[in-house]
Amino acid sequence: MANRVLRFIDVAQQMPEKRAAAERTRDFDEIYRQLVEEHAHEQAGRCSQCGVPFCQIHCPLGNNIPDWLLMTAEGRLEEAYEIASATNNMPEICGRICPQDRLCEGNCVIEKGFESVTIGAVEKYITDSAWENGWVKGPTPRSERGQSVGIIGAGPAGLAAAEELRRRGYSIHVYDRYDRIGGLLVYGIPNFKLEKQVVARRAKLLADAGIQFHLNFEVGRDATLAELSARHHAILIATGVYKARDIAVPGAGLGNVVQAMTYLAASNRMSLGDPVPDFESGALDAKGKDVVVVGGGDTAMDCVRTAVRQGAKSVKCLYRRDRRNMPGSMREVAYAEEEGVEFVWLTAPEAYLGDGDVRAVRAVRIRLGAPDATGRQAPEIVERSSHEVATDIVIKALGFDPEDIPGQFSEPNLGVTRWGTVRLDHRTMMTSVDGVFAAGDIVRGASLVVWAIRDGRDAAAQMHIYLQAQAGADADRLPAVAAAE
Ligand code: FAD
Ligand code: SF4
Ligand code: SF4
């Protein structure tokens, strides 16, 4: 049999077919087509099966990448799926939206001169094939334990924990203030990066396995944390971060100056067929408008690319640093440029101008000065560089902070850090309130889906240890049971 791996020398890197910019900007569908079977096997076979796989070390889930690449190269797809899903609750989602250039692929050792193995595309291919073939199974437990867990937040952290704990036999109740399961997977991340039926089929799998979802249920409004704790044996807080950061400049109260999440959630709801009065009235629709997006992270990239798809007349992205220093994924910047977005580097807003609605941004030019304590060059305003950028809508994408969780949940004993994130004992993942754990962005600050999944899995393992102790299991057996699972 011909060698099926180590083929990076004779087989070039090939991504799945990317739809042309002119075609893809006419709809909100994902931009990559599926890898075809033959190419998936070939691309997986480019892996050199490193003894110390740096790709795996730099995957937050420690995915056993070389093994599933080998199985794929050999056409043993079901085994590849078993390996991929052993460490990841949503491999098809991570394959689509992880910033692979900063994680697994960015650390693939064949990158130099040969370009990395297309790990994300193969992971997506394996798992989409598993769905098509009926290999994806819900977390049906062998027996019920009689203990119940309440999870606040149906984003990736809460869902990963729910799946892991359900598999271990706990009764799981997930509470979310939204009307759909998925958190930012549904209402933040646009369809062209992650089609919503991909999230919906995961959600259905969990509901079919007996996980009970209580939607439109806001902790703080519909129950306090103490009231919820009284219903369950343990609680997980996985509420994410939603308070938009802002810069105090004149004109912030003008019409059509909007926050990124308001804009993106409205667009996602439109794609889902929901009624969105602010979109229908035109306030959150970029069609035919000049659009300015302020910010340089992945949320800003999602806003500019959404505006293009809505049919904006022009889309500019204002960022106070340069291309090299922007936090967003370089892949996303390249896609945005292909789609016609203009990046205005080293520029920051000084005021929003208008009478009623915004008509322009008064901006200043920036130069990067000496590095600060973190090593990043501090932005400095260039004197007399004020100028106007005409616009009909300003979308602010400046990042997110946690809401006041102790206040919102009426639980003053819940400890938080100076950034407002929930404070944990990182060995047990328990908060300062007994039996209450936390995971995901609400602990890390705004981060990535793959880290939320990792945190949800880690929290589930720690909650299992706690719950077993609560159930009066033989304390000496606990570490062995945990290790065996
Ligand atoms: P979330 O996904 O935010 O879920 C939290 C859930 O808790 C929500 O459903 C919310 O409704 C619920 N909730 C909050 N408060 C309450 C309450 N009081 N009561 C009940 N429910 C409550 N990451 C990537 O890896 N790749 C990307 O391409 C990417 N793109 C992004 C684009 C945008 C626009 C944004 C904003 C983020 C993006 N991220 C991306 C980051 C990623 O989405 C988050 O890191 C991840 O979703 C965090 O998961 P989580 O479960 O901690 O929180
Ligand atoms: Fe790469 Fe993300 Fe998959 Fe890990 S989960 S292998 S980082 S795409
Ligand atoms: Fe294969 Fe690259 Fe990972 Fe090495 S670093 S095991 S070549 S994917």
Side-chain angles (χ1 to χ4, degrees):
M1 189 169 65
N3 190 7
R4 295 200 181 277
V5 291
L6 289 157
R7 299 187 57 197
F8 64 92
I9 296 167
D10 55 295
V11 176
Q13 186 196 56
Q14 188 175 5
M15 288 293 281
E17 189 193 336
K18 189 168 59 165
R19 296 195 298 138
E23 179 202 328
R24 67 186 195 242
T25 50
R26 287 201 294 266
D27 60 46
F28 280 78
D29 296 345
E30 286 180 8
I31 73 167
Y32 280 106
R33 299 190 204 283
Q34 181 66 289
L35 264 178
V36 294
E37 187 178 340
E38 181 198 334
H39 286 155
H41 296 185
E42 216 175 54
Q43 288 297 302
R46 295 181 70 243
C47 171
S48 63
Q49 295 290 306
C50 304
V52 182
F54 282 93
C55 54
Q56 180 170 6
I57 293 166
H58 288 272
C59 166
L61 291 162
N63 281 346
N64 194 342
I65 299 164
D67 278 11
W68 47 256
L69 288 172
L70 179 62
M71 294 298 122
T72 309
E74 293 185 352
R76 294 155 66 185
L77 218 51
E78 190 167 359
E79 288 162 84
Y81 170 69
E82 288 304 324
I83 299 168
S85 61
T87 49
N88 190 350
N89 302 76
M90 305 174 188
E92 74 285 24
I93 294 179
C94 292
R96 284 172 164 83
I97 60 167
C98 270
Q100 286 107 9
D101 51 340
R102 301 204 301 254
L103 299 171
C104 53
E105 292 179 19
N107 289 281
C108 172
V109 292
I110 62 164
E111 175 143 37
K112 304 280 175 297
F114 283 103
E115 298 189 306
S116 64
V117 177
T118 49
I119 300 168
V122 175
E123 189 177 26
K124 170 177 177 280
Y125 170 77
I126 294 169
T127 323
D128 283 346
S129 305
W131 278 100
E132 278 163 27
N133 287 297
W135 302 331
V136 183
K137 300 282 182 260
T140 314
R142 270 184 240 126
S143 61
E144 300 288 341
R145 285 178 190 271
Q147 282 168 295
S148 109
V149 173
I151 295 178
I152 312 170
L159 294 182
E163 179 169 2
E164 293 302 302
L165 287 164
R166 181 67 193 133
R167 188 168 284 125
R168 289 168 162 108
Y170 297 100
S171 156
I172 308 295
H173 293 256
V174 182
Y175 301 88
D176 201 293
R177 63 184 172 190
Y178 284 155
D179 53 351
R180 285 190 179 86
I181 299 165
L184 289 174
L185 300 177
V186 173
Y187 290 121
I189 300 173
N191 216 57
F192 53 82
K193 278 165 62 180
L194 175 61
E195 287 175 5
K196 300 309 161 203
Q197 82 265 12
V198 175
V199 185
R201 84 186 161 186
R202 275 275 159 208
K204 182 173 182 311
L205 191 83
L206 299 181
D208 289 349
I211 293 172
Q212 295 184 53
F213 289 95
H214 307 264
L215 300 178
N216 298 308
F217 187 109
E218 181 169 333
V219 179
R221 184 193 65 193
D222 300 316
T224 63
L225 184 62
E227 284 163 356
L228 219 55
S229 296
R231 294 185 204 169
H232 301 289
H233 295 88
I235 294 283
L236 179 71
I237 302 175
T239 48
V241 289
Y242 285 86
K243 195 168 85 187
R245 283 190 197 143
D246 214 340
I247 36 175
V249 298
L254 287 171
N256 294 348
V257 177
V258 301
Q259 289 294 352
M261 263 308 286
T262 311
Y263 175 69
L264 291 174
S267 174
N268 277 321
R269 281 196 181 279
M270 285 301 294
S271 299
L272 287 159
D274 292 353
V276 186
D278 279 347
F279 189 90
E280 281 143 22
S281 71
L284 296 175
D285 185 358
K287 189 170 183 200
K289 293 180 182 166
D290 291 315
V291 177
V292 165
V293 175
V294 182
D298 287 334
T299 302
M301 296 311 106
D302 289 347
C303 291
V304 291
R305 298 179 67 204
T306 297
V308 169
R309 281 161 178 76
Q310 288 177 349
K313 190 155 69 160
S314 75
V315 184
K316 292 191 174 70
C317 180
L318 262 55
Y319 182 53
R320 63 187 182 142
R321 296 176 192 268
D322 56 10
R323 181 190 289 269
R324 207 164 49 87
N325 286 289
M326 76 181 296
S329 154
M330 280 302 127
R331 265 190 199 171
E332 298 287 324
V333 178
Y335 298 153
E337 283 181 328
E338 285 168 12
E339 291 168 9
V341 174
E342 183 188 338
F343 285 86
V344 188
W345 307 110
L346 294 165
T347 302
E350 195 181 38
Y352 305 125
L353 309 174
D355 182 14
D357 287 342
V358 69
R359 63 160 181 83
V361 177
R362 196 170 73 226
V364 281
R365 303 225 188 279
I366 302 286
R367 69 172 152 254
L368 294 178
D372 63 13
T374 66
R376 284 188 99 190
Q377 286 175 280
E380 293 167 2
I381 294 174
V382 176
E383 280 170 35
R384 291 186 293 280
S385 64
S386 238
H387 59 286
E388 285 189 17
V389 183
T391 188
D392 301 307
I393 176 167
V394 173
I395 304 168
K396 298 185 284 185
L398 299 158
F400 302 95
D401 286 317
E403 285 154 348
D404 167 22
I405 298 292
Q408 206 180 65
F409 287 8
S410 305
E411 185 49 79
N413 293 325
L414 185 69
V416 292
T417 65
R418 66 191 159 108
W419 298 279
T421 50
V422 171
R423 187 191 295 280
L424 292 187
D425 174 335
H426 283 280
R427 285 163 310 159
T428 62
M429 297 194 74
M430 199 171 353
T431 67
S432 53
V433 180
D434 186 52
V436 176
F437 297 75
D441 279 6
I442 194 57
V443 176
R444 286 180 185 274
S447 179
L448 293 173
V449 168
V450 65
W451 279 114
I453 296 171
R454 166 70 192 268
D455 290 352
R457 293 174 67 89
D458 287 352
Q462 293 303 321
M463 292 171 84
H464 178 49
I465 294 171
Y466 171 86
L467 286 160
Q468 282 192 302
Q470 291 290 304
D474 178 355
D476 293 337
R477 272 184 43 237
L478 290 179
V481 171
E485 296 198 354

